[in-house]
Amino acid sequence: MFKSLSISKRLFASFAAILIIFLTLLTIAYSCFSSLSDANRADRHTLQVIQAIDQLRMDLLQVQVEARGYYLTGKPERLERTRKELHDLPASIQNLQDLTHENAAQVSRFKKLESLISNWAEEVIDAQLKLRQSLGNTPGAADAMGRTGPLVGGNSVIGKSTNSWTRLCQKRTSCWQNDSRNQPVCRPPCAQCW
């Protein structure tokens, strides 16, 4: 059949076949780059959440550091820095809630964490700051303060959140590695990882 066609029709058929192959390859490449872009976006989001959790941990630690500095020295500038650090905590928690608004389990976890931190700030930090203020510069005031109370349950909630997001990142990586070993052609990553 191909021999009965004229040269111009053969050339046209050849160019059409080449064009179809080229368009097919372009479609596959677009699909691969699109899935890679989606995977990159998901990984970036996961790392942003992990970074926000770390920032909250740092903010909590900074509150404790400044509060203990005030307990020891009684200097008003340390009190101001403690109040500033306490003021920064709700923004860190809100950032986490904004980043995880689509994940109901994480939202409830961070709501619980918000109430734990709020209670800790009021019942432990504020109470001890007031006690230290009332002691003034009397001898032994720093010794009377003792230690700050722990953030009961807060570290476990933060740890569970970090572990959850880290597992997700590891699962995506292993899924990608399995897909890339098993499939020589670029294809969208496995659905269970995304």
Side-chain angles (χ1 to χ4, degrees):
M1 174 175 150
F2 197 66
K3 291 182 179 187
S4 65
L5 296 175
S6 67
I7 292 187
S8 65
K9 289 185 179 181
R10 286 182 192 177
L11 285 173
F12 180 75
S14 297
F15 284 129
I18 291 171
L19 184 63
I20 289 171
I21 291 171
F22 183 71
L23 289 176
T24 303
L25 290 175
L26 278 177
T27 304
I28 291 171
Y30 176 77
S31 173
C32 287
F33 286 123
S34 176
S35 69
L36 288 175
S37 175
D38 291 344
N40 187 27
R41 194 174 311 116
D43 283 344
R44 188 179 318 117
H45 178 264
T46 299
L47 293 175
Q48 286 173 337
V49 171
I50 291 171
Q51 185 179 16
I53 290 170
D54 287 343
Q55 181 61 46
L56 177 61
R57 281 185 173 154
M58 292 301 297
D59 288 348
L60 288 169
L61 182 63
Q62 197 60 36
V63 167
Q64 292 177 11
V65 166
E66 294 299 334
R68 287 180 180 148
Y70 177 66
Y71 302 157
L72 291 173
T73 64
K75 294 182 179 177
E77 56 269 7
R78 294 304 291 257
L79 177 62
E80 283 305 311
R81 287 194 293 211
T82 304
R83 298 248 185 251
K84 181 212 167 289
E85 294 299 334
L86 280 171
H87 182 69
D88 291 345
L89 288 176
S92 293
I93 296 170
Q94 185 60 47
N95 184 28
L96 278 169
Q97 290 173 344
D98 291 345
L99 286 171
T100 59
H101 69 276
E102 73 283 348
N103 186 332
Q106 292 292 337
V107 168
S108 68
R109 207 175 265 165
F110 291 129
K111 291 279 186 197
K112 179 180 177 184
L113 181 64
E114 182 178 30
S115 69
L116 284 170
I117 289 173
S118 176
N119 289 339
W120 172 74
E122 290 174 15
E123 295 173 8
V124 177
I125 299 296
D126 283 342
Q128 289 186 346
L129 290 176
K130 288 175 185 170
L131 174 63
R132 181 62 174 103
Q133 279 181 311
S134 68
L135 292 174
N137 288 330
T138 60
D143 294 334
M145 290 305 300
R147 297 173 19 145
T148 59
L151 176 60
V152 179
N155 287 329
S156 67
V157 172
I158 293 172
K160 286 178 186 176
S161 295
T162 303
N163 293 341
S164 171
W165 287 97
T166 303
R167 275 193 311 274
L168 178 62
C169 197
Q170 290 169 346
K171 186 176 180 182
R172 286 181 183 150
T173 302
S174 72
C175 185
W176 175 82
Q177 289 171 344
N178 288 338
D179 279 354
S180 64
R181 272 191 236 120
N182 297 334
Q183 296 293 329
V185 185
C186 182
R187 71 179 193 104
C190 65
Q192 69 187 19
C193 295
W194 312 103

